[in-house]
Amino acid sequence: MVLPRIVGAEILDGLAVDDPAATRSRRDLRRVHRAMATRSIVSRALRAAIVSTPATRPLQVLEIGAGDGSLLLGVARRLAPAWPPVELTLLDAQPLVERETITSYADLGWKVVPAVVDVLGWAAAVTDPLLPNSATARWDLIVANLFLHHFADADLAGLLGAIAVRSDRLFACEPRRAWLALAGSHLLGALGVNAVTREDAVLSVHAGFKGKELSALWPSGPAEWRLHEYPAGLFSHCFRAERVEVV
Ligand SMILES: C[S@@+](CC[C@H](N)C(=O)[O-])C[C@H]1O[C@@H](n2cnc3c(N)ncnc32)[C@H](O)[C@@H]1O
């Protein structure tokens, strides 16, 4: 039996930043990532994606829907020894990045700029309001973790269209829309997570992806792209897009 893609509003997105249930749910997310092995999945993919970039300037990296920036910090710790310096913009609709997190990135040689912005507003702007003009014409890499599934296909196609114009690479790690992941999301209470996290986890799987769904939404434009979409771990679905001339 197929699981149709259903995008529902997640509870966490409707809570105030300082709502205790939201704070707890954001902390829960770290446990969820451990159960999903997200850090390993993302580290492996980014190591492969960025391998051929010359180290002549800091890499310009944008994470969309970055949350508190802690997931990518764990990834950065693994990547930093082999990567050039990074200028990282953490975009989220809510102000969630703490000073200590920025300091931890700085210890790795990664300069962080938080940006409290709605991603659809970012995508709709005529020119990219976040890319530092002096650095490069495009982001070297845009990353999304547990984020693209928030959007129904029409908004997602617009967002992917903006990403294709403004970057050389995208990597996304999303919930896999599959029976095993759905069962896992219903069992999340075993990790001791709160009601918001439990409910959002189930919604996330229903809004997740399978097969080549993200590839199908990627724009066909003048630039050539290499697309790779694949299941990862038990519960994740990954999508990698690389502009061919930079690979
Ligand atoms: C499930 S969390 C993922 C956070 C982080 N990427 C991670 O994996 O730990 C989704 C994040 O997307 C943000 N978000 C939701 N809708 C957004 C939008 N339209 N624009 C920007 N951020 C948004 C939320 O504030 C939240 O921090």
Side-chain angles (χ1 to χ4, degrees):
M1 209 168 71
V2 282
L3 275 175
R5 179 161 194 256
I6 300 168
V7 180
E10 295 188 16
I11 299 170
L12 181 58
D13 293 336
L15 297 178
V17 184
D18 55 354
D19 185 314
T23 308
R24 170 68 198 279
S25 180
R26 277 192 294 274
R27 249 196 342 261
D28 290 345
L29 201 51
R30 299 181 187 195
R31 282 190 218 179
V32 173
H33 280 311
R34 272 199 290 280
M36 295 178 77
T38 316
R39 201 182 308 158
S40 302
I41 291 169
V42 177
S43 304
R44 204 174 313 127
L46 295 192
R47 215 174 263 133
I50 216 78
V51 78
S52 60
T53 296
T56 51
R57 56 171 171 75
L59 285 178
Q60 299 296 322
V61 178
L62 169 68
E63 183 178 11
I64 53 176
D68 62 10
S70 62
L71 175 74
L72 204 59
L73 176 61
V75 172
R77 288 197 173 109
R78 294 183 179 195
L79 298 179
W83 273 28
V86 171
E87 289 179 5
L88 171 66
T89 300
L90 294 174
L91 178 160
D92 200 280
Q94 296 190 317
L96 301 171
V97 183
E98 292 179 356
R99 189 176 294 278
E100 300 79 66
T101 306
I102 296 177
T103 306
S104 299
Y105 275 109
D107 291 344
L108 301 171
W110 289 35
K111 183 180 156 210
V112 167
V113 181
V116 181
V117 168
D118 185 302
V119 81
L120 298 181
W122 170 80
V126 179
T127 55
D128 190 332
L130 297 180
L131 188 66
N133 340 325
S134 55
T136 172
R138 293 189 290 258
W139 299 98
D140 293 301
L141 170 68
I142 295 183
V143 183
N145 293 302
L146 295 188
F147 183 57
L148 298 184
H149 71 276
H150 282 73
F151 304 100
D153 285 3
D155 280 341
L156 194 47
L159 178 55
L160 294 178
I163 290 170
V165 170
R166 295 175 183 178
S167 74
D168 287 334
R169 298 173 188 79
L170 166 70
F171 175 71
C173 185
E174 296 293 322
R176 190 186 318 161
R177 202 174 74 251
W179 290 107
L180 179 64
L182 191 58
S185 69
H186 280 287
L187 295 172
L188 219 56
L191 295 181
V193 302
N194 76 358
V196 173
T197 310
R198 290 198 300 274
E199 204 159 318
D200 281 353
V202 174
L203 286 171
S204 297
V205 172
H206 282 294
F209 303 98
K210 65 181 176 61
K212 303 290 177 206
E213 290 176 342
L214 287 164
S215 307
L217 291 171
W218 190 256
S220 52
E224 260 201 77
W225 290 83
R226 185 171 300 158
L227 306 181
H228 185 37
E229 189 165 357
Y230 57 98
L234 292 177
F235 310 120
S236 300
H237 180 88
C238 296
F239 176 61
R240 203 168 84 201
E242 296 171 310
R243 193 182 286 271
V244 168
E245 68 252 38
V246 300
V247 175

